[in-house]
Amino acid sequence: EVQLVESGGGLVQPGGSLRLSCAASGFTFSDHYMDWVRQAPGKGLEWVGRTRNKANSYTTEYAASVKGRFTISRDDSKNSLYLQMNSLKTEDTAVYYCARELGDLGRDYWGQGTLVTVSS
Amino acid sequence: SYELTQPPSVSVSPGQTARITCSGDALPEQYAYWYQQKPGQAPVLVIYKDSERPSGIPERFSGSSSGTTVTLTISGVQAEDEADYYCQSADSSGTYVFGTGTKVTVL
């Protein structure tokens, strides 16, 4: 059974940093692109970014709203995906989801999300 | 920045048909995807590549595309279909974007 479990959320002050993790199981993690998607309280979904697999040089892409502040990485030996968030702003407050990407087949599995609150 | 526009809400009686549109300039060149999200839950993929249905998704969910608009159709709506629905696609640079979201209410 495919499972994605996010962790690392919490309360952080504006300007601070936080690192989220996503533990994957039930599939060959190293084969897949992985995405981060967030949802502010009461708002819609926002794509944060993605990392490709080793075959595609682990290249990353980011939404304009987080580019230069957030970094996506992965450790295939640990079946884990990470989101390093720096220079956090109040508008980064959201539930952060990791999702498995199947290219043209879409994002077929999602974690349950972890809440990040940026507030003083 | 690129935007995908959806109606904020759609209301439908049980057994009727709900249609949700999503408009975006790059849709003729990029695939569209649809996700269903119920309160407190993660999104679920219901349509991929404009009109394909993942395994386990009921046949009453279908997708179509025409020019700069894609449409999710729910035929024979059931109470359990009440949820928020989001389209998703990419802009010309390959950056992904979600639509504004549509709340489907089953009367």
Side-chain angles (χ1 to χ4, degrees), chain A residues 2-69:
Chain A
V2 172
Q3 283 197 322
L4 297 170
V5 179
E6 301 94 338
S7 60
L11 175 64
V12 61
Q13 293 188 337
S17 297
L18 204 60
R19 188 197 197 203
L20 306 183
S21 300
C22 171
S25 60
F27 66 102
T28 305
F29 178 75
S30 58
D31 285 348
H32 292 276
Y33 295 11
M34 297 294 297
D35 288 35
W36 285 100
V37 176
R38 69 183 181 182
Q39 187 170 35
K43 302 297 185 181
L45 300 172
E46 180 185 14
W47 179 77
V48 173
R50 58 124 66 129
T51 174
R52 293 181 176 85
N53 55 15
K54 181 178 181 179
N56 289 278
S57 304
Y58 298 126
T59 52
T60 53
E61 292 167 325
Y62 300 92
S65 58
V66 305
K67 196 170 186 178
R69 300 188 300 122

Side-chain angles (χ1 to χ4, degrees), chain A residues 35 37 39 43-47 50 61-63 97 101 103-108 110-111, chain B residues 31 33 35 37 40-45 48-49 86 88 93-100:
Chain A
D35 288 35
V37 176
Q39 187 170 35
K43 302 297 185 181
L45 300 172
E46 180 185 14
W47 179 77
R50 58 124 66 129
E61 292 167 325
Y62 300 92
Y97 297 98
E101 184 186 331
D104 286 348
L105 304 186
R107 288 145 190 83
D108 63 340
W110 297 61
Chain B
Y31 285 126
Y33 304 81
Y35 296 88
Q37 187 181 34
Q41 298 184 19
V44 173
L45 179 68
Y48 66 94
K49 290 175 67 175
Y86 296 91
Q88 177 254 310
S93 68
T95 300
Y96 293 102
V97 62
F98 285 93
T100 50

Side-chain angles (χ1 to χ4, degrees), chain B residues 43-60:
Chain B
V44 173
L45 179 68
V46 295
I47 293 291
Y48 66 94
K49 290 175 67 175
D50 294 344
S51 59
E52 300 294 322
R53 194 173 52 249
S55 61
I57 300 300
E59 291 184 5
R60 63 180 181 273

Side-chain angles (χ1 to χ4, degrees), chain B residues 88-107:
Chain B
Q88 177 254 310
S89 188
D91 64 17
S92 57
S93 68
T95 300
Y96 293 102
V97 62
F98 285 93
T100 50
T102 298
K103 181 177 182 59
V104 170
T105 300
V106 182
L107 301 172

